[in-house]
Amino acid sequence: MAGERSPLLSHGVFSVVGDDRGSPGAAERSSGDSPRKLNTFFGVMVPTILSMFSIILFLRTGFVVGHAGLLQGLLMLAVAYFIISLTILSICAISTNGAVQGGGAYFMISRSLGPEFGGSIGLMFFLAKVCACGVYVLGLVEAILDVFGQDAGETVGVAEGLHVLPQGYWFSVLYSSAVLLLCLLVCLVGAHIYAKASFVIFLIVTVAVLSILISPLVVAPRQFSFMHALGPNRTIVFNTSYTGFNASTLASNLASGYSLDFSTNRVMSFSTVFAVMFTSCTGIMAGANMSGELKNPSVAIPKGTIMAVLYTLVVYVLFFFMVSSTCERLLLINEFGVFQRINVWPPFVTIGVYCASLSAAMCSMIGASRILHALALDKLFGLPLAPAAITSHSGNPWVSVLYTWALVQCTVFAGQLNVIAALVTVFYLLAYAAVDLACLALEWASAPNFRPTFQLFSWHTCLLGMLSCLVMMFVIDAVYSSASIAVLLLLLLFLHYRSPTSSWGYISQALIFHQVRKYLLMLDSRKDHVKFWRPQVLLMVANPRSSCQLIRFVNQLKKGGLFVLGHVQLGDLDMLPADPVQQQYNFWLSLVDKLGVKAFVDLTLSPSVRQGTQHLLRITGLGGMKPNTLVLGFYDNCYPEDYFLQDPAFHEGAAGGSSAAGDDFGVDLPSLQAHFPPVRHTESPRCLQPAEYVGIISDAIKMGKNVCLGRYFAQLPAELGGVGTKGDGAGLTIDAWPSDLLSAGSGGSDADVCSLFLLQMACVLNMASRWRRARLRVFLCVEAESGESGWLAREERFRELLSKLRIRAAIRIVAWDTVARRLRDVSAPPAAADETLRAVNTLLKEHSLSAAVRFLYLPCPPNNTSQSQQYLAQLDVISQGLGPTILIHGLTPVTCTEL
């Protein structure tokens, strides 16, 4: 999977400019520089078990059963493990679909969903690990104070000499900061210290778990008294007992009994208790986060995670049954350290709690720092996270460790574990939902390369897992959930604004392809109806330098239809070592981006422009989306201007014109400008002869395509064609001349197919946002000899036609008797014919010179190729000096008067 670890190309306000290969963190990108030594047991099972046990197993199991009862507690356990099991299936599927590198869950999500979504969820997952580290540190301090705190002396059964630590909010913050400092020192030295000690910690925790399970068989029933302060001058004393295995105790603990939590002074509910309990399930990705150190992550992650989750599930179920059968509800609710009180040797549990909590805190800090380091290496957030990419000589990302430590220090000011438990749970559920979404998107995309070796999943499990996570987020805490989703959306918008480009592949492209293919198959050309006709344009472009304004104008003329830029590269593939066209697509696509038009690009190699255009007319498009209209630039002897020199989008440093290397997929502005040749000048040979140009028009008409010729569009005002400019066409006019001005008999008929097509195109332009307030004028050519009643009747008929077609336009009557008589005079000499054409041009200038754009009737080209020059000369004379003009020959019925 080449390029999977390649960083994003820099861009935007927070860009870091420079060669990434020399960055301090560059060494970590090479798999050869990050030794992979851990197997499934040590690299995945042990970290996952320790993270899932942590403090919740030892300090909150009784709390959960005491408030929720055994039945609801088991229900919570089932729901929690059901949710994480669905997510585990998604993790297993993604991790077995290719090489997984450092970054764990963030790496999976970002490489599946792309930089925007991956970066957003990656940062949220980092914050989740930060908060989880705070939870573990607070839990450890709470466990320490239960044994050594001065207030613990108020509980019967604890030795007086141990109560030496003062208690209170600021003392809890102080102790938490000290523990956090210890974690920082270990992480700064390196993760290898934690890795070496993890197995020893695992053995200690296992001994503690076994001691808890066998204690009810050894410890006799006993009584306890607890005293809690309810206010500055009020305390309450609870007397309760440990009964050992007792059926009546089990029966009394079956139902729920939510009451006041003395640590937060809030009444508990199903959602609040579930939030605390679910924190124990947030360690399922501890093994995945070690992906950079695993020998074979694709095998170790699914196997080790599943085994660890099954192991912890069995232990939790046993603990739930044990405490509900041996301890009264008051004992479970009011004593978080109940396992210490009823243990055969209390230090077993104390040491287990300390080791598990410290291990989980360090694991979370290490995992969070690795996620942050991966984000920094990918340059998703630019300058603010750039220092986090710095590593020591041994490869330890010590700056990201400092970042993480500072944020965890902020969380410990919460002071109570239960206060931030809900926030941790919400963040983790959001990350789990993202993993499910990543797997769901990969499955729905149906890409051939998505073939994970782990097959026990489907899109149903992914969708159900994602929905379950989202629902449980709001069940736990609607405020935190709404806020976290809002933050996620803001991050998505920020990254989308920065438009990072990567070589990871975009799942959105795979999904779009899948859906487009499906809908293209449903788009049946046999079901086309004139009511739903729209222009689908193939615009042939010889050189974009001289065609930018025409490209932008046609973009407004397409009315949501297909728009394709076509170009013919002259050559013969038999005489070339490789196809030169394939290398040009990126330049043309970058041109489309620069111009801001919604167009496809289709290029072909052909010995002649005419033959290449025939190819494009036949093969461009797919299914029901094929061009029905060919647009060409006008053939004349004028020398075009270089639009690249005028448009700010093609100037370095201009607003909206400068772009980072990542925006154009490797095509920067100088390369784009250098790719397209200079515009034609006096010494440039023409690659297209008049006969071939007219032949292209004839070919398109024979193939049933409408033809448009665009002239003088270099004169189109910038506000009507430029991207980023505002305008609605107020004060402008669009003129339509539906009569064939080169045929004397056309003056009496303005409702043939070609004329109606011309009117439709003028109306389509008038509907575009930049032209919606322009006035549409339609000119009717009449002969005064027909009498006033004749042309008034014709005007009325035409007005009625426009009304039926729902075209709002002003009708202008133009007398052209002189021109019509000259056109009918077939015996006139060539000089008189030229004079007639100039008279037509004078007529157009007299009535339509002030128009912003004008639509003229394009006569059919001659069948005799020897008359091609004469045909073009006629078109040249009648449109000479008019300004932006479109000559149209329509073959397609496009208007409809029916509902």
Side-chain angles (χ1 to χ4, degrees):
M1 299 176 69
E4 283 290 283
R5 205 58 178 119
S6 61
L8 295 177
L9 298 170
S10 54
H11 170 77
V13 292
F14 294 137
S15 298
V16 181
V17 180
D19 187 357
D20 183 72
R21 290 170 297 180
S23 64
E28 283 216 357
R29 297 173 199 213
S30 173
S31 58
D33 293 340
S34 54
R36 297 174 177 267
K37 299 180 180 179
L38 301 180
N39 57 20
T40 301
F41 181 77
F42 290 100
V44 181
M45 277 194 66
V46 170
T48 303
I49 291 174
L50 290 177
S51 296
M52 295 187 71
F53 278 170
S54 64
I55 56 174
I56 303 300
L57 177 71
F58 296 104
L59 298 182
R60 290 297 184 269
T61 300
F63 170 86
V64 171
V65 175
H67 284 286
L70 177 62
L71 297 181
Q72 286 195 20
L74 291 175
L75 176 62
M76 291 180 183
L77 199 64
V79 171
Y81 272 79
F82 176 73
I83 293 174
I84 66 172
S85 296
L86 294 174
T87 303
I88 287 171
L89 297 181
S90 300
I91 293 174
C92 295
I94 297 176
S95 63
T96 58
N97 189 52
V100 180
Q101 300 184 26
Y106 160 69
F107 182 86
M108 298 179 193
I109 296 171
S110 61
R111 269 50 176 185
S112 299
L113 297 182
E116 290 96 341
F117 204 94
S120 305
I121 289 294
L123 189 61
M124 298 292 287
F125 192 56
F126 164 74
L127 294 176
K129 300 293 288 184
V130 167
C131 293
C133 184
V135 167
Y136 298 138
V137 169
L138 290 173
L140 176 57
V141 171
E142 183 179 297
I144 293 174
L145 294 178
D146 282 344
V147 177
F148 301 103
Q150 292 178 348
D151 294 347
E154 300 169 359
T155 302
V156 177
V158 180
E160 293 293 334
L162 296 176
H163 312 143
V164 295
L165 295 178
Q167 292 184 245
Y169 169 78
W170 288 110
F171 283 108
S172 295
V173 172
L174 176 63
Y175 303 147
S176 300
S177 301
V179 173
L180 194 58
L181 183 61
L182 175 62
C183 296
L184 172 65
L185 294 176
V186 172
C187 294
L188 285 177
V189 173
H192 60 282
I193 292 182
Y194 166 73
K196 291 178 180 179
S198 61
F199 182 63
V200 176
I201 295 175
F202 174 73
L203 291 178
I204 295 173
V205 171
T206 302
V207 170
V209 168
L210 291 175
S211 70
I212 292 173
L213 292 175
I214 65 173
S215 290
L217 303 176
V218 179
V219 178
R222 59 181 63 176
Q223 299 291 323
F224 296 98
S225 294
F226 301 97
M227 182 172 59
H228 297 303
L230 297 182
N233 300 315
R234 184 185 173 193
T235 59
I236 186 171
V237 177
F238 297 95
N239 294 312
T240 183
S241 62
Y242 158 73
T243 64
F245 286 112
N246 189 291
S248 60
T249 303
L250 176 61
S252 65
N253 286 327
L254 288 178
S256 61
Y258 298 107
S259 60
L260 186 71
D261 175 26
F262 71 88
S263 65
T264 60
N265 287 326
R266 293 189 301 177
V267 177
M268 293 292 99
S269 63
F270 182 91
S271 60
T272 55
V273 174
F274 180 80
V276 174
M277 195 220 68
F278 193 84
T279 308
S280 65
C281 302
T282 56
I284 60 172
M285 292 186 180
N289 291 333
M290 302 289 287
S291 57
E293 286 77 31
L294 297 175
K295 291 180 180 178
N296 190 351
S298 296
V299 174
I301 290 175
K303 184 178 178 180
T305 304
I306 292 174
M307 293 174 65
V309 168
L310 291 176
Y311 176 81
T312 57
L313 175 61
V314 171
V315 172
Y316 272 110
V317 170
L318 291 177
F319 274 32
F320 274 36
F321 274 103
M322 189 203 73
V323 295
S324 60
S325 303
T326 59
C327 301
E328 292 183 349
R329 187 180 300 273
L330 283 177
L331 176 60
L332 299 177
I333 291 176
N334 292 282
E335 178 53 74
F336 292 154
V338 62
F339 287 143
Q340 295 169 262
R341 304 289 186 258
I342 64 173
N343 198 269
V344 62
W345 190 55
F348 271 141
V349 178
T350 303
I351 297 173
V353 169
Y354 295 170
C355 290
S357 301
L358 189 62
S359 170
M362 288 189 294
C363 183
S364 295
M365 181 175 285
I366 290 172
S369 64
R370 295 315 187 261
I371 294 171
L372 185 65
H373 181 61
L375 285 167
L377 289 179
D378 290 338
K379 297 185 178 179
L380 282 172
F381 294 93
L383 192 59
L385 295 187
I390 299 174
T391 61
S392 64
H393 293 295
S394 62
N396 186 33
W398 61 273
V399 177
S400 64
V401 172
L402 291 176
Y403 270 55
T404 305
W405 167 79
L407 290 176
V408 177
Q409 182 64 58
C410 295
T411 65
V412 301
F413 283 102
Q416 289 290 341
L417 184 153
N418 290 1
V419 173
I420 60 175
L423 182 62
V424 173
T425 306
V426 165
F427 277 176
Y428 271 100
L429 281 171
L430 189 61
Y432 293 170
V435 173
D436 289 320
L437 176 61
C439 190
L440 177 66
L442 290 169
E443 179 69 9
W444 273 353
S446 301
N449 281 324
F450 182 62
R451 45 179 186 270
T453 56
F454 183 86
Q455 295 292 321
L456 298 179
F457 79 102
S458 69
W459 69 267
H460 304 84
T461 61
C462 301
L463 181 60
L464 184 59
M466 183 181 68
L467 294 178
S468 300
C469 291
L470 294 176
V471 169
M472 289 311 303
M473 282 172 56
F474 285 91
V475 169
I476 291 169
D477 195 300
V479 175
Y480 282 159
S481 300
S482 302
S484 62
I485 292 176
V487 172
L488 175 64
L489 293 176
L490 290 175
L491 291 172
L492 276 170
L493 291 174
F494 171 75
L495 290 176
H496 181 71
Y497 165 75
R498 295 188 70 239
S499 300
T501 301
S502 74
S503 59
W504 308 338
Y506 293 84
I507 188 63
S508 59
Q509 295 298 301
L511 290 172
I512 290 170
F513 177 89
H514 186 267
Q515 292 302 108
V516 167
R517 180 196 63 85
K518 181 172 71 174
Y519 287 115
L520 275 176
L521 291 172
M522 297 171 63
L523 186 62
D524 192 343
S525 59
R526 296 170 297 181
K527 299 178 182 179
D528 287 345
H529 194 280
V530 65
K531 288 190 298 185
F532 308 112
W533 179 91
R534 67 182 72 235
Q536 303 203 77
V537 181
L538 170 63
L539 171 59
M540 297 301 300
V541 180
N543 189 344
R545 287 181 177 271
S546 58
S547 308
C548 290
Q549 283 291 68
L550 181 59
I551 293 172
R552 284 174 167 163
F553 176 78
V554 175
N555 183 63
Q556 300 175 61
L557 198 61
K558 69 182 187 301
K559 189 54 180 175
L562 178 69
F563 181 23
V564 181
L565 298 183
H567 175 73
V568 178
Q569 174 78 34
L570 295 179
D572 188 349
L573 192 58
D574 291 337
M575 308 298 295
L576 298 171
D579 185 5
V581 169
Q582 299 303 319
Q583 304 171 1
Q584 299 184 29
Y585 271 97
N586 271 1
F587 293 97
W588 283 84
L589 292 173
S590 296
L591 172 73
V592 169
D593 294 338
K594 284 288 181 185
L595 294 175
V597 298
K598 298 178 180 178
F600 297 94
V601 172
D602 212 347
L603 312 178
T604 188
L605 181 71
S606 179
S608 69
V609 177
R610 181 178 180 181
Q611 186 177 345
T613 305
Q614 290 178 6
H615 293 165
L616 293 177
L617 283 171
R618 286 193 177 97
I619 66 175
T620 295
L622 198 62
M625 292 190 68
K626 297 183 74 69
N628 55 32
T629 303
L630 174 67
V631 180
L632 302 172
F634 196 80
Y635 191 97
D636 56 22
N637 294 319
C638 299
Y639 296 106
E641 297 181 6
D642 190 343
Y643 194 76
F644 282 13
L645 301 178
Q646 305 174 20
D647 194 332
F650 296 93
H651 296 168
E652 285 280 8
S658 62
S659 64
D663 281 342
D664 295 315
F665 294 87
V667 180
D668 57 12
L669 189 55
S671 300
L672 181 66
Q673 292 175 330
H675 174 74
F676 296 109
V679 296
R680 183 169 54 87
H681 51 84
T682 54
E683 299 180 0
S684 302
R686 301 199 69 151
C687 61
L688 188 64
Q689 298 305 313
E692 188 176 9
Y693 179 83
V694 176
I696 292 174
I697 300 174
S698 300
D699 294 340
I701 293 174
K702 290 177 183 178
M703 299 170 69
K705 309 296 183 183
N706 311 296
V707 178
C708 302
L709 307 182
R711 189 177 193 187
Y712 293 129
F713 276 90
Q715 301 176 15
L716 191 70
E719 63 270 13
L720 297 178
V723 175
T725 59
K726 296 181 179 180
D728 55 9
L732 301 178
T733 56
I734 302 170
D735 288 355
W737 295 75
S739 302
D740 184 356
L741 300 179
L742 297 183
S743 174
S746 69
S749 175
D750 299 297
D752 63 352
V753 172
C754 185
S755 298
L756 292 176
F757 182 85
L758 185 149
L759 290 173
Q760 179 81 332
M761 296 300 285
C763 180
V764 166
L765 180 64
N766 201 190
M767 297 168 68
S769 60
R770 296 182 188 273
W771 298 86
R772 66 180 182 273
R773 296 188 62 186
R775 290 188 305 119
L776 176 59
R777 302 187 301 182
V778 180
F779 291 85
L780 295 183
C781 296
V782 300
E783 295 184 55
E785 296 174 352
S786 62
E788 183 177 352
S789 60
W791 61 261
L792 284 176
R794 183 180 171 208
E795 179 185 3
E796 186 60 31
R797 288 195 304 270
F798 197 79
R799 193 179 303 278
E800 184 180 353
L801 174 64
L802 293 182
S803 177
K804 289 181 179 179
L805 297 177
R806 289 90 60 204
I807 297 177
R808 288 178 292 185
I811 299 176
R812 297 286 187 268
I813 303 299
V814 177
W816 75 323
D817 298 69
T818 304
V819 176
R821 281 195 299 268
R822 289 179 175 178
L823 290 172
R824 279 194 292 265
D825 187 1
V826 295
S827 62
D834 292 341
E835 188 67 27
T836 301
L837 294 174
R838 283 191 288 272
V840 172
N841 179 253
T842 302
L843 183 73
L844 291 169
K845 287 181 177 179
E846 180 182 349
H847 294 89
S848 208
L849 188 62
S850 62
V853 66
R854 55 210 50 79
F855 290 78
L856 304 183
Y857 192 110
L858 175 67
C860 275
N863 294 324
N864 190 346
T865 56
S866 62
Q867 298 177 354
S868 298
Q869 186 73 49
Q870 179 185 354
Y871 176 73
L872 291 178
Q874 291 175 347
L875 299 180
D876 178 66
V877 172
I878 65 172
S879 61
Q880 184 72 40
L882 291 180
T885 302
I886 288 282
L887 293 98
I888 293 180
H889 187 88
L891 300 176
T892 308
V894 295
T895 57
C896 181
T897 58
E898 300 175 358
L899 181 62

